[in-house]
Every structure is written in C-alpha cells, then in structure tokens.
Amino acid sequence: RARDLTQKRGCAQTVPLDSIELSQMPVVAPSDERDFDAEWARALLDEALRRFQREVQHSEEGRASFALLGDCVLGDAELSYAETAVQLGVTVPAVKSRVFRLRQRLYQIVREEVLRTVASEAECDEELRYLSAVLQKVYGVPALPPPE
C-alpha cells in the first residue's frame, strides 16, 4: 500500500544525477551579505530584547522603572537623567546606577543568545565583535559595550 501511494505521488521516479545539465541550471544570485548580516543582527537583538523585557516585567518596581529607564538603556531617552529621577522619586546617581545595571544585564542576555549559536567562549567573543561591527556598518549605531 505505501509503495502504491509513493508511486501515485510520483516519488518513485528517480532522475540520474548524470543526466542533469548543470550549465542549464538557473544561477541563483547569492543574497547580499550585508542584508544577511543585518537580518542576523536584528533577529539576535530582537530575541535578546524580548528576553530582557520579560525579565524586567516580573516585578512591579521593574515594570515602573523600565517604563522610564528602558529608553535610557537603549540610548533613545527623551528625558534627561534628572527628569527621570524626579519621575521615579530617586536621585540622579540612582538613575545612572539602575541604567548601568540594566545595560549590564542586557549585554549578558545578548552574550547568552550568541553563546547558544557557537561552540566556545572564544567564538562568542569573536561573534560579539562581529555583531558590533555589523551594527556599526549597517545601522550606524555602536553595539552594546561590554559591561565594565
């Protein structure tokens, strides 16, 4: 029965490899390496940001802080640290400290995402440098610096 179904679907027909004319095969232009790298960087950072936001959203304080500090962490802040401090009811040094810790955590998550795709720490460091170069070249923005 399975053999009959296979033949019915046409899967039983074989084509000898030596009968294929390679010169007649359509040439598929390779995708632009820059586009591939940009997509890779975007996908990796999207996943890291999803994880980061899920992690921050677990506590009430985290949600409230992230609503104001999230843009500071990502470098898109509309408010100054002083304005953010007033809204959070903390000092400017406290805001700077929170932003620093959040940036450290985001960097760690990006590193973990890269580690899932490579075999060693050395390869991870190399991939992070490459990610930084891609972000600079494609998007014109510096990547996340390693935590100090």
Side-chain angles (χ1 to χ4, degrees), residues 61 89 115 121 135 138:
E61 180 186 348
L115 272 169
E121 289 282 331
L135 291 171
V138 175

Side-chain angles (χ1 to χ4, degrees), residues 23-35:
S23 61
Q24 307 261 333
M25 296 289 289
V27 178
V28 177
S31 65
D32 182 33
E33 186 174 327
R34 182 178 166 166
D35 290 343

Side-chain angles (χ1 to χ4, degrees), residues 34 38 41 45 75-76 131-144:
R34 182 178 166 166
L45 291 178
D76 296 333
L131 174 64
S132 180
V134 168
L135 291 171
Q136 179 66 43
K137 183 168 73 172
V138 175
Y139 298 108
V141 295
L144 296 169

Side-chain angles (χ1 to χ4, degrees), residues 88-130:
L88 288 173
V90 298
T91 64
V92 172
V95 169
K96 289 180 179 180
S97 177
R98 288 180 186 183
V99 168
F100 177 76
R101 284 193 312 271
L102 287 169
R103 283 184 180 152
Q104 280 185 311
R105 183 59 192 138
L106 179 57
Y107 181 83
Q108 289 170 344
I109 292 171
V110 169
R111 183 175 182 78
E112 289 167 7
E113 287 300 313
V114 171
L115 272 169
R116 292 176 15 162
T117 66
V118 296
S120 69
E121 289 282 331
E123 283 182 275
C124 181
D125 292 338
E126 190 176 313
E127 284 292 294
L128 285 168
R129 282 190 294 278
Y130 187 68

Side-chain angles (χ1 to χ4, degrees), residues 3-4 14-15 30-31 38 46 54 58 66 69-71 75-76 96 106 110 112 118 143:
R3 182 174 172 214
D4 293 337
T14 58
V15 177
S31 65
D46 282 350
R54 276 194 311 262
H58 279 299
F66 187 73
L69 297 176
D71 289 340
D76 296 333
K96 289 180 179 180
L106 179 57
V110 169
E112 289 167 7
V118 296

